[in-house]
Amino acid sequence: MQNENLLVGIETSDDAAIYKVNDTLALVQTLDFFTPVVDDPYHFGQIAAANSLSDVYAMGADPVICMNIACFPKTLDPHIIGEILRGGYDKVIEAGAVLAGGHTVDDKEPKYGLSVTGFVHPQKFIANKGAKEGDVLILTKPLGTGIINTAIKGGLASPSETEEAIRIMSELNRGAKEAMVTVGANACTDITGFGLLGHVMEMAGGAQVTMRIFSKRLPMIAAALNYAAMGIIPEGAYANLAHVQCGTFFEEGLAQEMIDLACDPQTSGGLLIATPKENAEALLALMEQKHVSAACIGEVVKKEEAYIHYLNQ
Ligand code: CO
Ligand code: CO
Ligand code: CO
């Protein structure tokens, strides 16, 4: 039998588990780690930590205590390991949390991330299933990091494109989370490996609603569309498309690269927030004040046959 204090567990595909301690405090627990997405070890550490912290922000919670989880080959230069851990440490400090230890095991391929414990009021966390008819959908951070990472691996991305992707992936979702809890929201998740449409599908399915996504409003890294048109697309995008295809209505005339972009697996992506329409303007204004790039990309309507209407408008 489930413990009654477990407010969010494994039954919903939410970003974190939530455990109620008392009437004013609940613990938020997450764990995330992955293989290097960029060559520079310090940046990799920053991106991995920002990604791990993001699952706590996606619940509308504050990260408090972090632990490193890492796998390194015995042959890896200790200086490189130090740089990865320094990148992670710096992000934890930026998040206002503490790093309290961790664990490393031997492995052929390096991996790094954090286990994060956060705090939230037991009635004030924001799950991924609470979207309501009449809500609008706000997305932070531009899409396309998976495509740019693929271009980087293929030696095609320019230094400025590489830098832009690193800056986006390293950015904490802290400001976005602060704006969201200040203004109020019905549902939230962060955009990661399943791509925009994969995470929209989870959110729409959890709430039994249909979400209309306006492709022409999607924020994106400018170069990503060009690479997508050249076929520079990560393998995960195809799996994501296969996964959402039967629950999505794709409007006629959509360019293939706009579909690829919407299925592009993101590394440390932004927050997708469902909030009542009357909140939208205030939320976007507060995001701007906090220097968080954000756009209104869709709306929530009564459940139709498809969970997602991906529109050529
Ligand atoms: Co997540
Ligand atoms: Co995660
Ligand atoms: Co959430």
Side-chain angles (χ1 to χ4, degrees):
M1 203 187 113
Q2 280 283 32
N3 187 307
E4 61 178 23
N5 292 320
L6 187 66
L7 304 181
V8 175
I10 55 174
E11 61 289 337
T12 60
S13 31
D14 229 312
D15 296 295
I18 300 197
Y19 187 90
K20 182 178 162 185
V21 176
N22 58 41
D23 288 343
T24 57
L25 177 67
L27 292 182
V28 182
Q29 304 246 210
T30 73
L31 170 66
D32 213 324
F33 68 141
F34 52 51
T35 55
V37 286
V38 293
D39 287 334
D40 182 275
Y42 178 74
H43 286 141
F44 168 53
Q46 286 197 309
I47 292 165
N51 175 67
S52 300
L53 289 156
S54 177
D55 281 327
V56 173
Y57 292 130
M59 304 306 288
D62 296 311
V64 180
I65 307 166
C66 305
M67 309 275 264
N68 285 324
I69 176 164
C71 303
F72 296 126
K74 278 203 179 74
T75 51
L76 193 63
D77 180 348
H79 173 73
I80 292 180
I81 295 176
E83 283 294 283
I84 294 172
L85 298 179
R86 186 170 71 88
Y89 176 83
D90 284 355
K91 276 292 148 183
V92 170
I93 297 304
E94 186 188 330
V98 293
L99 191 66
H103 190 71
T104 303
V105 296
D106 282 335
D107 199 357
K108 282 197 283 284
E109 208 176 356
K111 297 174 190 74
Y112 173 67
L114 300 172
S115 165
V116 185
T117 300
F119 289 172
V120 73
H121 189 287
Q123 272 143 23
K124 289 182 184 161
F125 65 87
I126 300 167
N128 68 356
K129 63 173 185 192
K132 293 190 172 65
E133 249 180 86
D135 282 358
V136 294
L137 298 168
I138 309 277
L139 176 69
T140 73
K141 288 195 182 184
L143 297 170
T145 54
I147 292 166
I148 299 293
N149 287 343
T150 307
I152 293 172
K153 283 190 189 119
L156 295 166
S158 71
S160 71
E161 288 159 7
T162 305
E163 255 172 55
E164 187 183 5
I166 288 174
R167 182 182 53 73
I168 292 165
M169 294 186 290
S170 309
E171 189 184 306
L172 290 178
N173 283 325
R174 182 184 191 171
K177 171 260 168 191
E178 286 170 355
M180 168 176 76
V181 299
T182 301
V183 174
N186 288 328
C188 177
T189 193
D190 60 340
I191 304 300
T192 54
F194 297 125
L196 173 69
L197 294 187
H199 292 281
V200 169
M201 182 78 87
E202 277 179 356
M203 206 184 242
Q208 285 303 304
V209 293
T210 286
M211 296 189 169
R212 289 160 52 86
I213 305 295
F214 300 98
S215 63
K216 299 210 159 122
R217 296 196 206 160
L218 295 183
M220 68 183 92
I221 304 172
L225 266 197
N226 298 334
Y227 287 123
M230 290 162 61
I232 314 292
I233 295 155
E235 236 176 78
Y238 298 103
N240 288 341
L241 177 58
H243 179 72
V244 300
Q245 201 135 36
C246 67
T248 305
F249 163 76
F250 292 96
E251 192 175 27
E252 211 172 308
L254 275 167
Q256 182 59 43
E257 56 265 33
M258 286 309 296
I259 296 176
D260 296 333
L261 183 83
C263 294
D264 183 36
Q266 301 300 282
T267 299
S268 186
L271 298 185
L272 175 69
I273 300 165
T275 189
K277 197 178 199 153
E278 59 269 25
N279 286 353
E281 218 171 296
L283 183 52
L284 289 171
L286 192 52
M287 296 259 192
E288 196 179 336
Q289 204 183 315
K290 291 177 180 289
H291 308 288
V292 174
S293 78
C296 179
I297 64 153
E299 61 194 20
V300 181
V301 297
K302 197 169 141 67
K303 171 82 175 67
E304 295 181 36
E305 202 177 307
Y307 280 121
I308 303 173
H309 288 186
Y310 189 49
L311 303 168
N312 185 27
Q313 47 186 287

